[in-house]
Amino acid sequence: MKKIIMVLVALTLTIVLAACGDNEEENAKKDEQQSANKTEEQAQSQEQNVEVTEKEKVDEKTPVVSINGEEIKGETYNPLYMQIKMQMAQFGQDVSDVTAVKDQTLNMIVEQKLIRNDAKDKGLEVTDKEVQKEFDTIKEQNGDQLKKVLKQFKMSEEDFKNQLANDLVTQKYIDSEIDVKVTDKEIEEYYNKIKEQNKEIGKLEEVKEPIKSQLKKDKTSKKLQEKVKKLKEDAEVEKMI
C-alpha cells in the first residue's frame, strides 16, 4: 500500500458522505465523486469478508504504544484496527497478514497523536462542542448514509466522533502550519499529462479548478508527511504489542 498519512480514517468516511450528499458543482467534482463512490462500493463488497478475530483484539486497558511517555490503550487501538483492516482490503492488500495491519494501526495512532500534541503546543485545539456540531451536521445531511458507512466500517458513533476530532485538529493544523501554492504552469503540465491518457478530458478551462484542487491536496499531503516525519524523529515512541 502506498504509504500515506491517513489523517483520518474518518476523513475517508466523511469524504464518502460528502460525495453522496453534495450535488453542487457536480461536473467539476465528477471524478472525485466517482472515486468516492468506488471506495464505497469496494467497502460494501469487502464487508462480509473482513472480520477481526478475538486473537487480533487487545484488551481495552492494555497499553499498545507509548508516545513521549503517554500510553495509548486497546480501547483506542481496536476500533482503528478494524477500520485499517477494511481500508487495506479495499486497496487489495493481504489482510491475513495481521502483523502488517497491526503496524499500520500503530503508525496511525502515533501520527495522529503527534499531530494533535504539536497542534496543542501551538494553541490549536478542537472542543467537544465543535466535534458535536460537525457530527450533527453530517448526521443531519447524511443520516441514512452515515448509518451505512458506520456499519461498513463497524464503527459506533462515538468511534466516529473520536476520529472526527482528530480530523478537525489536523485540518486546523494544516490551515495554520502548511501553505502551498499551485501555479498555472503546474496545472497545465498536469492537464497535458492526463490528456495523453484520456483524450476526452475536455478543455483546460473546464477542468482547471479540479486539477488545482488535486495538486493542492497532493502538495499539502507531502508537506504534512514531512512534518510528521520530523515529529517522529524527535519523539520517544515505544510499541508495546
Side-chain angles (χ1 to χ4, degrees):
M1 179 189 241
K2 182 179 178 181
K3 189 177 186 309
I4 59 172
I5 297 176
M6 293 193 305
V7 166
L8 270 163
V9 176
L11 178 59
T12 302
L13 301 183
T14 52
I15 288 173
V16 171
L17 291 171
C20 293
D22 184 7
N23 291 321
E24 295 181 0
E25 301 179 352
E26 182 176 354
N27 291 331
K29 296 184 178 180
K30 184 178 180 180
D31 289 341
E32 292 180 14
Q33 289 177 338
Q34 288 176 339
S35 177
N37 289 337
K38 184 177 181 181
T39 299
E40 182 188 359
E41 290 169 2
Q42 289 172 326
Q44 291 173 338
S45 66
Q46 291 292 341
E47 181 180 354
Q48 299 300 323
N49 299 325
V50 179
E51 297 293 341
V52 174
T53 65
E54 289 301 316
K55 187 177 180 179
E56 292 173 82
K57 295 178 183 178
V58 177
D59 184 88
E60 290 190 352
K61 302 303 179 184
T62 298
V64 297
V65 62
S66 173
I67 306 167
N68 292 327
E70 181 178 351
E71 293 182 347
I72 308 299
K73 300 181 179 180
E75 59 189 355
T76 298
Y77 174 88
N78 290 330
L80 193 55
Y81 181 95
M82 180 70 242
Q83 297 163 44
I84 295 291
K85 191 170 184 178
M86 289 197 70
Q87 290 249 330
M88 290 177 69
Q90 290 169 23
F91 286 99
Q93 297 299 105
D94 179 13
V95 294
S96 66
D97 184 355
V98 295
T99 299
V101 183
K102 179 186 73 174
D103 289 343
Q104 287 273 3
T105 305
L106 293 175
N107 287 338
M108 166 75 92
I109 290 173
V110 171
E111 289 170 356
Q112 287 184 345
K113 186 61 179 173
L114 291 177
I115 288 174
R116 198 159 188 166
N117 286 351
D118 197 40
K120 185 177 181 179
D121 290 343
K122 292 176 168 57
L124 305 169
E125 297 187 75
V126 172
T127 65
D128 292 341
K129 186 176 180 179
E130 288 177 286
V131 174
Q132 188 62 49
K133 182 180 179 181
E134 184 69 16
F135 178 77
D136 290 342
T137 299
I138 292 172
K139 192 171 183 178
E140 180 181 348
Q141 295 177 351
N142 308 277
D144 291 339
Q145 190 64 29
L146 175 60
K147 290 179 182 178
K148 181 188 287 187
V149 170
L150 292 180
K151 182 180 179 181
Q152 288 171 2
F153 285 84
K154 295 180 173 59
M155 297 175 71
S156 66
E157 289 190 355
E158 197 61 34
D159 292 334
F160 184 84
K161 284 192 282 188
N162 288 337
Q163 287 293 326
L164 187 57
N166 282 315
D167 191 10
L168 295 174
V169 169
T170 301
Q171 190 57 58
K172 282 191 176 184
Y173 186 76
I174 289 171
D175 292 342
S176 173
E177 301 298 310
I178 297 177
D179 182 29
V180 298
K181 304 293 183 184
V182 177
T183 66
D184 288 341
K185 182 180 179 180
E186 288 173 320
I187 294 172
E188 186 173 355
E189 288 176 347
Y190 187 88
Y191 171 79
N192 290 334
K193 183 178 179 180
I194 58 178
K195 190 175 181 180
E196 290 178 1
Q197 302 170 350
N198 180 9
K199 301 297 184 182
E200 299 180 1
I201 188 175
K203 296 180 180 179
L204 175 58
E205 56 266 27
E206 296 173 346
V207 294
K208 184 175 181 178
E209 287 306 313
I211 290 176
K212 183 177 181 180
S213 177
Q214 184 60 52
L215 289 174
K216 186 173 182 179
K217 287 177 184 177
D218 292 345
K219 284 189 172 186
T220 299
S221 177
K222 184 177 180 180
K223 283 187 173 291
L224 183 60
Q225 289 183 54
E226 291 170 354
K227 279 188 169 290
V228 172
K229 181 179 179 181
K230 181 65 167 61
L231 292 174
K232 281 184 174 180
E233 290 171 352
D234 295 338
E236 293 183 6
V237 177
E238 179 187 358
K239 295 180 180 179
M240 306 172 76
I241 60 171

